[in-house]
Amino acid sequence: MKVLIATEKPFAPVAVEGIKGVIDGAGYELALLEKYTDKQDLLDAVADADAIIVRSDKITAEVIEAAKNLKIVVRAGAGYDNLDLEACSAKDIIAMNTPGQNSNAVAELALGMMVFMARGGFNGKPGTELRKKNLGIHAYGNVGRYVAAIAKGFGMDVYAFDPFVSSDAIEKDGVIPVGSVEELYSKCQYVSLHIPATAETKGSIGYKLLSGMPANGGLINTARKEVINEEELLKVMEDRADFVYISDIAPDCIDTFNARYEGRFFFTPKKMGAQTAEANINSGLAAVNQIVAFLEKGDETFRVNK
Ligand code: 3PG
């Protein structure tokens, strides 16, 4: 069996070593494709792979078509909007993610960026504190829970909206559940986004929600840039000089931000929420262990396609 790690944004070497150890132990072969820039390199690499581990790498119908031996693809991470699930299912290929494994890394980045912005990008001038400010968690999943726990350590008042999580479960963590997304945004000076990118959520965060946020409001997006309606976000930036936007990966309209809103935004140069050695080890090892469990025992836990 050949397991391909195809990562345009590589895992930390220590994670690759760990994955290799599991592959060796199972008597499989490892193939490594890192930092590729040409889609053809990916198409060539998948040709004889039985299993593939990816990060945000796009596994399209074309890639699936080129992967003649493929039985399973695992997205080492949470969001699997980069996998063409229908194309996988059409070829009886199992698609999985590794939920929760990189969540703490993303949460630490979200809080780190909030502090950075509240302190003016560490520019030496007076800033503000997070203590006693309201933080809204939009979607209380794995990352949202870590963000809430860290924010409580900062002394923030934490609210959450998630139609799929019971109020009891939210309250148990000392977080205040709210009944609607509008209520969350209107109550909270800071909102941290943790919704997945789906047909329903893409472009769903726009003027109506953001313009209703309290004074000195800010949106922290460590989810996906696609969930933002960028045209409407720009309108909020224009209307409200107090509003800041912080995102783990720049929006498509970055040129407008650079030209008009200096000091009111921060974007990472490359999506790096999950870019820690720990997250790479956790999600990489989970991915390879899930592959071995499926190939040896037919274990389909964490399957995301039908
Ligand atoms: C995820 O969905 O798990 C995160 O966005 C991490 O993505 P990455 O593996 O590309 O860093």
Side-chain angles (χ1 to χ4, degrees):
M1 291 284 175
K2 189 170 199 169
V3 180
L4 169 70
I5 301 177
T7 45
E8 180 272 322
K9 184 174 61 186
F11 287 125
V14 63
V16 177
E17 271 310 299
I19 295 169
K20 187 176 181 316
V22 176
I23 289 173
D24 289 347
Y28 299 170
E29 193 189 331
L30 168 69
L32 192 57
L33 175 70
E34 292 183 326
K35 292 188 192 165
Y36 57 93
T37 47
D38 195 341
K39 186 177 69 180
Q40 192 57 46
D41 293 340
L42 178 62
L43 294 173
D44 292 344
V46 302
D48 61 351
D50 296 281
I52 307 176
I53 298 172
V54 291
R55 294 184 63 177
S56 291
D57 308 77
K58 288 194 172 48
I59 299 300
T60 59
E62 188 184 9
V63 175
I64 295 293
E65 191 55 46
K68 298 291 180 213
N69 295 343
L70 190 61
K71 296 156 190 66
I72 176 168
V73 55
V74 182
R75 192 281 191 248
Y80 47 87
D81 45 310
N82 54 321
L83 308 182
D84 187 329
L85 298 186
E86 271 180 30
C88 289
S89 299
K91 299 266 178 187
D92 289 326
I93 293 162
I94 307 287
M96 293 183 181
N97 67 346
T98 65
Q101 301 291 344
N102 58 20
S103 308
N104 181 64
V106 179
E108 286 190 14
L109 182 74
L111 266 296
M113 292 194 299
M114 283 170 67
V115 173
F116 181 73
M117 283 306 282
R119 294 300 185 93
F122 301 152
N123 63 1
K125 296 184 181 155
T128 56
E129 301 181 21
L130 300 183
R131 187 175 166 77
K132 299 278 183 211
K133 306 293 188 316
N134 288 357
L135 170 66
I137 313 260
H138 189 168
Y140 201 66
N142 290 309
V143 182
R145 280 160 221 246
Y146 277 110
V147 169
I150 301 169
K152 281 165 62 61
F154 272 90
M156 299 187 85
D157 294 322
V158 185
Y159 295 78
F161 172 72
D162 193 323
F164 305 105
V165 180
S166 73
S167 294
D168 283 357
I170 294 173
E171 273 165 2
K172 239 181 230 140
D173 293 345
V175 174
I176 304 157
V178 298
S180 72
V181 72
E182 290 77 16
E183 191 184 347
L184 188 80
Y185 283 72
S186 64
K187 250 196 175 94
C188 296
Q189 177 179 343
Y190 290 100
V191 171
S192 189
L193 265 181
H194 303 293
I195 53 177
T198 65
E200 292 76 42
T201 64
K202 282 184 185 164
S204 65
I205 307 300
Y207 191 79
K208 212 167 139 238
L209 289 175
L210 300 177
S211 61
M213 288 177 72
N216 303 313
L219 181 69
I220 303 96
N221 181 7
T222 52
R224 291 288 183 272
K225 68 176 177 177
E226 289 81 3
V227 301
I228 306 291
N229 181 326
E230 291 194 7
E231 208 176 299
E232 295 188 19
L233 169 67
L234 287 177
K235 189 164 159 38
V236 177
M237 295 297 294
E238 195 60 33
D239 283 6
R240 287 186 47 171
D242 64 316
F243 190 87
V244 300
Y245 181 54
I246 306 167
S247 179
D248 182 15
I249 197 172
D252 294 336
C253 59
I254 183 170
D255 289 346
T256 312
F257 272 88
N258 281 327
R260 300 181 68 95
Y261 307 121
E262 200 195 331
R264 293 175 48 208
F265 66 91
F266 175 75
F267 308 136
T268 52
K270 199 172 185 121
K271 185 153 74 89
M272 55 165 289
Q275 247 338 27
T276 65
E278 293 88 338
N280 288 175
I281 292 168
N282 293 344
S283 55
L285 283 181
V288 71
N289 283 322
Q290 286 170 215
I291 286 170
V292 174
F294 171 70
L295 293 176
E296 299 300 320
K297 299 183 295 208
D299 184 342
E300 294 189 6
T301 311
F302 301 120
R303 180 175 180 166
V304 293
N305 64 332
K306 294 191 188 112

